[in-house]
Amino acid sequence: MITTLETIPNEILLMIFSHLSWFELVMSLSSLNKRFDRLICSILSKIDNKSNNGLVIINPGLSYNKCNSILLPLISNPLLPFASCIRRIHFDGTICNAADLSYKWLFDNDKKILHFPNLKSLILTRCLLVEPLIKSLPILIKYQLDELKLTFDKDIITLLRYPNGLSAMGLRTEKLIMLEELILKLFSNQSRLISLQLDIACDDSYANLHRCLEPHITLASFSIFTRRPSCLTLRRLYIHIKYTCFLERLIEYVPVLQQLSVPKLESFTLKTSVDNDSEFAYLKWILNNLNHIKKLKIHLKSDALYETSKAIWKSVIDANFIRRYCLPDEAINLRNFDFYIFSKCKVPMIDIEEIINSFKIHPFFVDHQWTNIKCFFDSITSYQHLTSSLNYTPRFSNCLINERNLFNWPQTRYVWMNLQPSLYLFLEQFNELFPNVSCIKLHMGQYITSDNLQFIVSEMPFENEKCRLTDIQLRNVTRLDFNPYFDRTSVKNTNNFFFQGNYDESIDRIKARAKVLAHLISMPVQLKDLRVYEFEWLLHVVQYAFDELRKNALNTVQYAEFRIPSCHRGSNESIRIGQNLVPFLSTYMPNLQTLHLWRIDDFPWTSIRPDYNKHIYSYSRLVNQWYKSLQTSESVVQHVAVFQENLSHLVKQMKELIFLDIHGQIHKEKVEPYRAMVQTLFPYSRYHIEILRFRLWF
């Protein structure tokens, strides 16, 4: 008897389909028959944040052209049922093309309609909000959405403040003002949202997003504030903020939060630092204004005790402390309370058993059956950790940098670690201690002396019979960051001698680091994302520790990010490092899809600067003359040709590459020539070229 795919029951087909991504389902199985289309619709129509269902535009393998030219026409085809069944969409800016895709996917500009009439949940993570999207989101929150999640990071705020990569100190850009008005509308009577998650923790004193709820003198804003409208539908609110004054204005601006007889908000989460006693008083005021909520989650931290205004933090942090400062005076409807307190404390004050027992005898916690409290004191850092939930007790916290997240280990997605001899003890238990961690960020100790680095390496059991680093396999880790400090500020502010290649490391230090990197890179079963502080470190791994590197350990890498030294300044050796880039990638990372480079100056990674003898007295003068000549028309033409050769070589050797992202800094005279060259070389590709950034979607 021959069994065809069509004869398989729906239940089994759904189990099979669950192993495919949504775009694999749509591209492979849509339009085969109505039954398959209905099954695909049943999968796409689910709203489940934990499973991340619906349309999820976060896969690095989704190129801009595939999304725009293939998937969108399929999904929005009026002859197919998919568009009407989509209820949840998630765009993630980490794939870099989501900024433009988000608007084009949501709205049909020609027909002036929404592609997905039943869309209820929209998640925008690290997306640079393009102007049409900022203008259109208020329509969605007024008529369409039940749930909205907006998450911004430091890079997004910087791009909103400096859209052209140029400083505009004190000036409010149009997009930033539009974003402020959008936040206003999230809490106004123009919103029908039931659930809102807003992350503006990257806000700073120049962006001033935390002040957007304050009264303004402009006519447009004044008319809004004089009416004091409120969002009457909001039930779940999650806010991640840097400045707590945002909450004060929020409660004033949304008076429904103070109407205790008509409670709408059911869940409230606050993760913040409390620096002094006045902020504790402010926290208490907030909690008393939210005393009708059913679920409360409080995470507080404090770092130092020397200020005279920290009398509260100097008291014993036990049940009385939690009841007095971390809960409303009257918890009317509270059913679920989760807390985590991370604080610096004095060693003589800590009595772990007494603190735990205080919850077992306190009437409030006994009545609510919230007595299963965990407490841990880190004697190395003198920090106390107090939490309502803990599954694992830390043993080697001197390796951890983000130790303030100890009590979230089962849920955390990444960990920061120091390079310490005891690191292997963590790695031995890693799969059990961190079952959900997919990313390890390791501080390599850039300023550790060669002797100390040698000692650390000598203490790590590379070949110990009982425990060998070569035997450790990390099942769930797919991303490794070594000294993960990639941002424009650090590129500009880091000592020039380091980036110019004049920082001479000892050969012993280089070999020791290469050995550690080789072993750590070999541990993940399937490494997909690798971010290394310096590209040269990878060259050292191949040169000095190749035998320690697991065969094909880098073969699965799809995303790579690292720095490459200047091609104009520095030693003759350092400016030539970039010429090894493409040969290395094509040999060890043939499946690379995204390449992210950080430069101190120009975008090309190979140099045409003549070799200068650094021992002659005129060396500095010759280098400076060369650098000044870069703005001449002749030099611009030469570097356009060099960059064209770099890009052609890269594309020819890296068949899977779909996105190139370079942070650097070029003279304004090069912007248009680079654009013209890219348009000629890649006529069907998408590009974005500015003074400080080069992006190309192949």
Side-chain angles (χ1 to χ4, degrees), residues 125-154:
T125 307
R126 296 187 72 251
C127 283
L128 176 60
L129 299 183
V130 293
E131 185 173 332
L133 183 59
I134 297 179
K135 291 181 177 179
S136 304
L137 275 177
I139 300 174
L140 288 176
I141 65 175
K142 185 175 182 179
Y143 298 107
Q144 191 83 25
L145 296 178
D146 291 335
E147 177 186 39
L148 176 65
K149 294 184 180 181
L150 285 176
T151 302
F152 303 100
D153 65 2
K154 186 176 180 180

Side-chain angles (χ1 to χ4, degrees), residues 208-449:
N208 272 339
L209 292 179
H210 58 283
R211 302 187 62 184
C212 66
L213 295 183
E214 295 181 3
H216 297 288
I217 59 174
T218 58
L219 291 177
S221 298
F222 182 75
S223 62
I224 294 176
F225 274 94
T226 52
R227 292 195 303 269
R228 295 182 61 83
S230 59
C231 178
L232 299 175
T233 59
L234 193 60
R235 294 177 181 271
R236 293 181 294 276
L237 176 63
Y238 177 100
I239 303 181
H240 192 191
I241 54 176
K242 181 178 180 180
Y243 300 98
T244 52
C245 62
F246 182 87
L247 286 177
E248 179 181 1
R249 294 297 180 185
L250 173 61
I251 293 176
E252 292 178 356
Y253 186 67
V254 188
V256 71
L257 297 180
Q258 292 180 315
Q259 296 174 5
L260 304 183
S261 60
V262 190
K264 292 293 182 180
L265 195 65
E266 296 181 353
S267 175
F268 182 72
T269 300
L270 178 63
K271 299 181 180 181
T272 187
S273 61
V274 177
D275 294 328
N276 50 55
D277 294 352
S278 61
E279 291 191 4
F280 264 113
Y282 179 51
L283 171 64
K284 189 69 173 182
W285 176 81
I286 292 174
L287 294 173
N288 283 333
N289 277 284
L290 299 175
N291 64 356
H292 57 274
I293 57 178
K294 296 180 180 179
K295 183 177 181 179
L296 176 62
K297 189 173 185 178
I298 297 289
H299 286 200
L300 303 180
K301 66 178 181 179
S302 177
D303 294 327
L305 291 175
Y306 55 83
E307 293 95 338
T308 57
S309 59
K310 286 196 172 184
I312 293 177
W313 275 122
K314 294 177 182 178
S315 58
V316 177
I317 301 177
D318 57 5
N320 292 321
F321 180 96
I322 299 298
R323 182 65 186 96
R324 183 173 181 181
Y325 300 111
C326 303
L327 283 161
D329 292 332
E330 296 183 15
I332 301 173
N333 301 316
L334 195 60
R335 299 291 180 268
N336 191 318
F337 177 48
D338 179 24
F339 67 87
Y340 169 46
I341 312 298
F342 170 83
S343 60
K344 195 85 171 179
C345 55
K346 297 179 180 179
V347 177
M349 295 179 59
I350 297 300
D351 187 332
I352 300 297
E353 291 300 323
E354 185 175 338
I355 291 174
I356 293 176
N357 288 332
S358 69
F359 289 89
K360 297 178 180 179
I361 61 176
H362 194 288
F364 178 85
F365 294 99
V366 172
D367 291 344
H368 288 79
Q369 298 182 358
W370 295 335
T371 58
N372 188 22
I373 306 302
K374 302 296 181 181
C375 183
F376 170 72
F377 176 69
D378 189 335
S379 58
I380 297 174
T381 60
S382 298
Y383 276 103
Q384 176 186 343
H385 304 264
L386 183 65
T387 183
S388 55
S389 60
L390 173 65
N391 293 333
Y392 301 103
T393 302
R395 293 171 53 195
F396 313 106
S397 62
N398 57 316
C399 283
L400 281 180
I401 295 177
N402 61 331
E403 58 191 23
R404 59 191 63 189
N405 293 323
L406 288 176
F407 296 109
N408 289 329
W409 280 8
Q411 290 79 36
T412 192
R413 293 294 183 265
Y414 74 90
V415 293
W416 282 59
M417 293 183 175
N418 275 316
L419 182 59
Q420 299 283 351
S422 60
L423 175 63
Y424 77 94
L425 296 174
F426 259 122
L427 297 175
E428 272 188 306
Q429 310 171 61
F430 199 90
N431 292 324
E432 289 71 34
L433 287 175
F434 305 101
N436 295 313
V437 164
S438 60
C439 171
I440 296 177
K441 299 185 178 185
L442 189 66
H443 188 283
M444 295 295 292
Q446 178 182 340
Y447 301 107
I448 295 178
T449 65

Side-chain angles (χ1 to χ4, degrees), residues 578-590:
Q579 67 187 15
N580 299 295
L581 176 64
V582 176
F584 178 90
L585 295 179
S586 60
T587 302
Y588 299 103
M589 301 182 186

Side-chain angles (χ1 to χ4, degrees), residues 21-24 52 56-64 66-67 90-92 94-98 101 528 558 593-594 658:
S21 63
W22 69 269
F23 56 87
E24 290 172 334
N52 210 10
V56 185
I57 317 292
I58 63 174
N59 193 312
L62 285 175
S63 67
Y64 185 89
K66 180 185 289 186
C67 287
H90 182 181
F91 293 99
D92 191 334
T94 53
I95 69 167
C96 301
N97 56 9
L101 281 176
K528 295 183 178 181
Q558 298 178 0
Q593 297 180 1
T594 299
I658 61 174

